[in-house]
Amino acid sequence: MKRTGSTNIEKRKLIRSLAKQEKPLWKAVAKELDVPARKMRTINLYKIDKYTKEGDIVVVPGKVLGVGNISHKVTVFALDFSQNALNKIRGAGGKALPLSQGVEEIKGKVNVRLMSG
């Protein structure tokens, strides 16, 4: 049976766009995103808090959930955020941005972490 890909047009465009990037990070993110919705990654805030430090940039190829707290400023690029996660990230002084903005904003940065599970 042939796999047809996501029915979400925006997600398909994003996957194609990321796969064309030169940085291996974006190719890995495109591969992580190209899975059925039931297998989509979710990352909780406590994990982001545990594995990052102030000023880090985090790329999540899936959804960020608000379980736990974040104790420092980070910039998080993700496919989706729960409302609770958005509130907590912004409350800590961080930024929560759509994955589609990540390609331009991360160019030349070195403190970027891919969190995929």
Side-chain angles (χ1 to χ4, degrees):
M1 188 164 142
K2 185 177 182 235
R3 206 169 145 264
T4 58
S6 176
T7 57
N8 180 332
I9 306 272
E10 292 301 313
K11 183 178 168 187
R12 286 197 338 228
K13 285 180 186 175
L14 177 63
I15 291 167
R16 277 196 304 271
S17 167
L18 293 176
K20 291 177 185 174
Q21 299 299 317
E22 290 183 26
K23 263 191 170 182
L25 166 74
W26 296 119
K27 291 183 189 313
V29 170
K31 188 176 179 183
E32 288 276 337
L33 288 174
D34 198 14
V35 296
R38 69 184 178 280
K39 292 184 179 179
M40 187 60 60
R41 300 280 184 192
T42 57
I43 298 289
N44 288 303
L45 279 182
Y46 73 86
K47 258 194 178 166
I48 293 174
D49 189 58
K50 182 178 179 179
Y51 294 108
T52 61
K53 59 187 183 314
E54 181 93 18
D56 276 356
I57 298 170
V58 180
V59 176
V60 178
K63 186 169 185 170
V64 178
L65 302 176
V67 176
N69 289 304
I70 189 96
S71 61
H72 51 274
K73 286 184 193 179
V74 291
T75 300
V76 183
F77 292 95
L79 189 63
D80 196 15
F81 296 88
S82 71
Q83 190 60 52
N84 196 13
L86 280 173
N87 295 340
K88 289 179 180 182
I89 292 168
R90 292 175 180 155
K95 293 182 195 172
L97 302 166
L99 202 49
S100 57
Q101 283 185 332
V103 176
E104 287 304 313
E105 299 224 5
I106 293 178
K107 279 188 179 168
K109 305 276 196 235
V110 291
N111 55 342
V112 179
R113 296 184 177 277
L114 174 62
M115 299 197 81
S116 60

